[in-house]
Amino acid sequence: MTNLQRLLLETKGIDLDQNELIVYLAENELNPHDEYVPSSATNKRNIYKTALSILESIANNPSLMKSYKLDDMTISDFHENLLNRIDQLERKIRQMKTDEQEQTGNVFMLFNS
């Protein structure tokens, strides 16, 4: 599986041109055609950062900020739910470690004076 394919898994239901997805991946230091490495914390974190960038771009679309009525069903609060998902992803990304942080682990030093 490539980075591009993994991003498509993360952003199901969002239809963007492949060239746009490639730009988003490049902005987050990922080559779209490189092999996705699930064991790499940095790779996974960058996929989530890319998905976050895509959601933020969608949230900037003013036409999605209003409520719609389709037949007898009201589609409302899309923008609010989108912002909630963005907040969830931001929290998740902040809590994720990179490969370097996983290698060093938690180091606690106590200095006695």
Side-chain angles (χ1 to χ4, degrees):
M1 172 180 291
T2 65
N3 287 325
L4 182 59
Q5 291 169 326
R6 176 61 181 93
L7 179 62
L8 289 171
L9 284 176
E10 194 61 38
T11 58
K12 282 185 181 175
I14 299 174
D15 294 324
L16 290 176
D17 182 66
Q18 187 170 344
N19 291 327
E20 292 177 66
L21 294 174
I22 289 171
V23 169
Y24 282 115
L25 285 165
E27 288 174 347
N28 288 287
E29 302 171 8
L30 291 169
N31 184 331
H33 304 293
D34 283 355
E35 188 71 20
Y36 172 69
V37 183
S39 60
S40 168
T42 301
N43 199 273
K44 187 174 183 179
R45 188 171 192 256
N46 286 345
I47 289 289
Y48 282 125
K49 285 171 60 177
T50 305
L52 177 63
S53 297
I54 291 169
L55 291 179
E56 287 173 337
S57 293
I58 292 170
N60 286 331
N61 185 346
S63 67
L64 300 176
M65 296 180 191
K66 53 187 171 183
S67 297
Y68 297 95
K69 185 164 178 132
L70 181 64
D71 296 329
D72 290 336
M73 184 174 72
T74 301
I75 303 168
S76 61
D77 302 324
F78 173 76
H79 191 257
E80 183 178 325
N81 292 333
L82 181 62
L83 292 179
N84 288 339
R85 179 63 183 138
I86 288 171
D87 289 340
Q88 290 171 351
L89 253 180
E90 284 176 337
R91 272 193 305 278
K92 187 173 192 171
I93 291 168
R94 276 196 307 270
Q95 293 172 353
M96 293 176 83
K97 294 182 178 184
T98 62
D99 290 335
E100 294 81 27
Q101 290 170 330
E102 282 191 349
Q103 288 174 357
T104 59
N106 291 332
V107 177
F108 177 73
M109 300 179 93
L110 179 64
F111 294 99
N112 192 2
S113 48

